[in-house]
Amino acid sequence: MALGMVLDATVIRAVLVAATVAMMGMWNWWLPDQAAKLPRVEPSPLRSGKVHGSP
């Protein structure tokens, strides 16, 4: 019974979250003014796979 409830909740949340994201469109990416003023950090070159000396 518990497994059925967990599976049911997972499916429902997956559908509701996907539907909400689809309905809200660009509003999903809105930031409050305080968060928008935080400094932005460039991603590490190591994560992109490009290391000095490699083509």
Side-chain angles (χ1 to χ4, degrees), residues 2-22:
L3 178 61
M5 292 174 62
V6 170
L7 183 62
D8 187 39
T10 302
V11 171
I12 289 173
R13 288 180 182 163
V15 170
L16 289 178
V17 169
T20 303
V21 167

Side-chain angles (χ1 to χ4, degrees), residues 3-51:
L3 178 61
M5 292 174 62
V6 170
L7 183 62
D8 187 39
T10 302
V11 171
I12 289 173
R13 288 180 182 163
V15 170
L16 289 178
V17 169
T20 303
V21 167
M23 287 189 314
M24 292 185 68
M26 289 302 295
W27 278 98
N28 289 310
W29 310 112
W30 173 81
L31 283 175
D33 291 335
Q34 294 84 4
K37 292 178 184 176
L38 292 173
R40 295 184 183 195
V41 178
E42 292 295 321
S44 170
L46 298 176
R47 296 227 21 165
S48 67
K50 296 180 182 177
V51 183

